Structures are given as structure tokens and as C-alpha cells.
Amino acid sequence: MLNNIMDFLKLLLFAIVLLFIISFSFVNTDVIKIKIIPFFYEVETRVFLAVIFSFILGFLFGTFLNIIKSVKNILANMKIEKRVKKLEQELDEKKW
């Protein structure tokens, strides 16, 4: 039951975000020029493409940083679990 509700909420959230992106795209059709400073290159694009690209790039960067943090936490957890097992073995040896 809970999975059905979560699936529905995910679908609803996706539909709302998609509707927002589509309406944003229709409203912001002006053309802008973006200068890429280190390369002295100029890109001409529409506003909605630049904004959506920026959001996607930020999301990917944040996801990448989150993955790095998760890997660090997993490695630290493995190290702690190894230490706990070693201490439990030492404790068992001292009991006998």
C-alpha cells in the first residue's frame, strides 16, 4: 500500500516539474549571448536552455559530491566494523 502511494507521489512530483519546465520554456524564449571567459568563446542560446542546463549541471555536480561523501562513509563504516569485530574477539578470548 505504501509503495503505491509513494509511486503516485513520485509520478505527481514528476508531472508537476515537467509542467513547470514546459511552461518556463514557452515563457522564456528570448535569445541571450553567454561569454565563456577562459576560452574567449561566445554561445548564443535561449534563456530557458541556459537555465535548464545550469540546473542539470548543478544537480549532477551535487550528485557527484554526494557519491564521494557516501563512499567515504561506507569506507569509514567498514573500518569501524572491522575494529568492533576485533574488539569482540578480544573480549571473547578474555572471558575464557
Side-chain angles (χ1 to χ4, degrees):
M1 177 73 178
L2 187 60
N3 285 338
N4 292 337
I5 294 172
M6 291 302 293
D7 289 341
F8 174 74
L9 290 176
K10 287 178 187 177
L11 183 64
L12 183 64
L13 180 65
F14 178 74
I16 290 171
V17 169
L18 188 63
L19 184 64
F20 175 76
I21 290 172
I22 291 171
S23 65
F24 182 81
S25 299
F26 280 121
V27 172
N28 294 297
T29 57
D30 296 338
V31 175
I32 59 171
K33 292 180 181 178
I34 300 173
K35 293 182 182 179
I36 302 173
I37 299 294
F39 305 111
F40 301 106
Y41 189 71
E42 193 172 282
V43 177
E44 193 171 302
T45 186
R46 301 209 181 263
V47 173
F48 74 90
L49 288 175
V51 171
I52 291 172
F53 178 75
S54 298
F55 275 115
I56 290 172
L57 194 63
F59 177 78
L60 292 175
F61 183 70
T63 301
F64 177 71
L65 291 179
N66 197 12
I67 288 171
I68 291 174
K69 184 178 177 182
S70 296
V71 168
K72 282 183 178 180
N73 287 339
I74 289 170
L75 293 175
N77 192 23
M78 288 171 55
K79 185 177 179 182
I80 290 170
E81 286 177 359
K82 196 179 212 182
R83 176 80 173 138
V84 167
K85 283 183 181 180
K86 182 181 176 188
L87 290 173
E88 285 176 344
Q89 287 175 351
E90 288 178 10
L91 187 62
D92 286 341
E93 291 173 0
K94 289 184 179 182
K95 282 185 178 178
W96 296 105

